[in-house]
Structures are given as C-alpha cells and as structure tokens.
Amino acid sequence: MTHTNSLVLTVAERIDDLGDIMRLTLKGEGDLPPFAAGAHIDVQVETPEGPIWRQYSLCGEPGKSDAYHLGILRDPESRGGSVTLHDLMRAGEKLHAEGPRNHFPLAEGATRSILFGGGIGVTPMLAMAWELHRKGQAFTLHYATRSADRTAFLDVIKAAPFRDHIVLHHDDGEGAAPINLARDLPAAEPGCHVYVCGPQGFMDWIISAAECAGYASNVIHREYFSADVDAHGESFEVFCAQSGIAVTVGPDDTIAKSLVKAGIKIDVKCEEGICGTCVTDVLEGEIDHRDKFLTEEEREEGDQICACCSRARGARLVLDI
C-alpha cells in the first residue's frame, strides 16, 4: 500500500526514551492517511546545508488514524537528519512529510512470523506485532539491544496485549540473554516467514543464518535503515530514451546527480539505496547493483536500478526516462 500524500504534522508529544531514542507522536489537522504494518513516512529535515529527506517507520497500531508514532535514534554517525530532529523537535513544532509508503509489508498467507528487531529496528516490528495480534496469527518478536539501560519502548511493550510474544535480548547478558539463533530461529517450514530490521551487521547475520537454515529468499523480509554503500566506479554513459539526452557518469558521480546536471530530475531521498524513491526502469545494459532495496529476484530481472548509488557493469545503460 503506497500513498503520496503531502502532510503537515504537528508534534503532539515528545518522549526521550532510553538508548538515545526520541519518540514522537505526530498529529494532523484531521484524520491521517491509514497505514499497514511495515510502512514509513518520509520526513523533510531542515539542515544548515538545506532540506534533506529521511525515512522513519511507523511504530504505532495500524488502522488508527488519529496520530502517527515514530522512534528516532540520535545517531552522531548519520548524515545529520536524526541529530537535527533531536535538537529541534518539541511539542508544537511542525514537520513536512510524505506518505505513508510501504516497502516492508507482512506477507499474505504466512502461518508463522518470526520478527527480529535490533535497536531502533524494532519500530516496524512493533507495528507488525499489532497487526499479527489483531489477525490472530502466530508470531514471536525478538528485540535485541546492547543492554537493559539502552532498551526503549519498555512501557509500550509492557502495556501491549501481545507482550507475551516479545522476547528481550541484551548483548551484555544482564537480565536477558543475547540472541542465540540455534535457539531463536526455528527450523524452516512451509508458511514460516522471517522479518529483520536493525543495524546492517545485525541484519546480515540474521539473513545469512536464515539462508543457511533453509529459508528461501522470498520468505526472508528485510528493511535497512542505513547502509554502507560505495557509489564510486568506472565512468559510463547513460542514455535517456524518452528525452534523448546522454550523460557521462564519472567515477565520483551517481546517475541521479549526473542527470540533474543535464536537467533531468530523478526524485532521490535516502541517497543510500534503501528507500526505493529513485528506482528507474532500465531498457538496455548490465547493472552493477549497489543498493539494499531491490530483491534478488528483481536484480536478476535486470530492468530496474537505484539511480542514487548503483552503476553500470559495462560502458552504457539506457533508461526509460
């Protein structure tokens, strides 16, 4: 379910939770667009260098339209969005946003769902837990943090009707054992789906273990909040079939940036190949995929590219723009 609503949201409440996580309750002038579990909104962040867009998962109960709930980690290693929001957001402040959009939906027909949330990656999992609980479907949510004093959302978890389906894990082992995939990842069986969100290393570990345990790629669902992406490479040409414009993408440029210089705008938001905003159809050429957004099946089809970071394997790509 994808929406393209332009929204003006007001901060109704801010809670500074454990683990440097800020929780925001956002309201509109009336009812907000509905969302399903796994959805996010794009938030415009005003930085000294100009506006940037960042994506934040909706962690409240799907189906409710009175407010949106976000959890935002203050990450000093990020590119400025989260730190700026932590510094500026207070009750009464307004945000410009778009959405909701959903690239991380729950699978239809699953008989059992195993959810892994690492740190701030628990936010979409909380919405998934609400939806699975409402539908009466079997699930377990494994929520991993560094330690008890870095574990946010404890009040939400304690009050949730599905709290018995949530297992806490702390890396330091104090009060809750770390994740043990030999114990916590069940054997692959028909209808069992795995969902994972969190830091890249955490996600890669879970995904690799699930693949080794026999889970097919189409039942392992993932959403990256950030990714270490290297967009550099050899120069190549991009030809735009609709507009007839050709550009050269240099070693330090991206397709999106090169096209903007030529007067062709591609919407870009995350700049890390994780949100899917810049996905563009490819008519000819071999793609060097650098993103974390497209599935392996979509990559094998070879007809879509994330223009913010991916490149050509050969000398030329033809795009349908």
Side-chain angles (χ1 to χ4, degrees), residues 145-202:
T145 62
R146 294 178 185 174
S147 60
D149 59 8
R150 302 281 299 173
T151 303
F153 298 103
L154 288 177
D155 58 326
V156 174
I157 291 169
K158 289 177 181 177
F162 48 81
R163 56 188 173 274
D164 291 342
H165 293 265
I166 299 177
V167 183
L168 297 179
H169 301 274
H170 304 321
D171 291 347
D172 63 7
E174 295 293 327
I179 288 178
N180 179 343
L181 292 177
R183 175 194 64 208
D184 299 322
L185 180 66
E189 59 184 34
C192 186
H193 287 245
V194 175
Y195 300 80
V196 58
C197 186
Q200 184 171 344
F202 172 84

Side-chain angles (χ1 to χ4, degrees), residues 38-220:
H40 69 269
I41 58 172
D42 300 319
V43 173
Q44 189 177 60
V45 185
E46 299 294 338
T47 72
E49 292 75 28
I52 59 176
W53 288 90
R54 293 294 178 261
Q55 294 71 43
Y56 297 104
S57 294
L58 296 168
C59 58
E61 182 177 356
K64 290 194 172 182
S65 57
D66 60 326
Y68 288 156
H69 298 273
L70 306 181
I72 301 174
L73 171 67
R74 184 184 183 99
D75 183 1
E77 301 300 320
S78 74
R79 291 166 297 145
S82 68
V83 172
T84 299
L85 289 176
H86 271 256
D87 288 344
L88 297 181
M89 288 301 98
R90 301 290 185 272
E93 294 289 336
K94 294 188 180 298
L95 284 174
H96 291 273
E98 292 182 358
R101 299 195 297 156
N102 199 344
H103 302 307
F104 192 42
L106 287 167
E108 296 289 337
T111 57
R112 185 181 182 188
S113 299
I114 311 299
L115 317 177
F116 290 96
I120 193 62
V122 77
T123 50
M125 303 303 176
L126 290 171
M128 288 181 173
W130 273 111
E131 192 161 311
L132 292 166
H133 169 75
R134 187 174 65 239
K135 292 179 178 179
Q137 296 182 0
F139 75 94
T140 302
L141 166 53
H142 295 278
Y143 175 22
T145 62
R146 294 178 185 174
S147 60
D149 59 8
R150 302 281 299 173
T151 303
F153 298 103
L154 288 177
D155 58 326
V156 174
I157 291 169
K158 289 177 181 177
F162 48 81
R163 56 188 173 274
D164 291 342
H165 293 265
I166 299 177
V167 183
L168 297 179
H169 301 274
H170 304 321
D171 291 347
D172 63 7
E174 295 293 327
I179 288 178
N180 179 343
L181 292 177
R183 175 194 64 208
D184 299 322
L185 180 66
E189 59 184 34
C192 186
H193 287 245
V194 175
Y195 300 80
V196 58
C197 186
Q200 184 171 344
F202 172 84
M203 293 183 63
D204 292 346
W205 173 51
I206 301 289
I207 291 166
S208 176
E211 291 172 342
C212 290
Y215 285 87
S217 61
N218 65 340
V219 301
I220 305 172

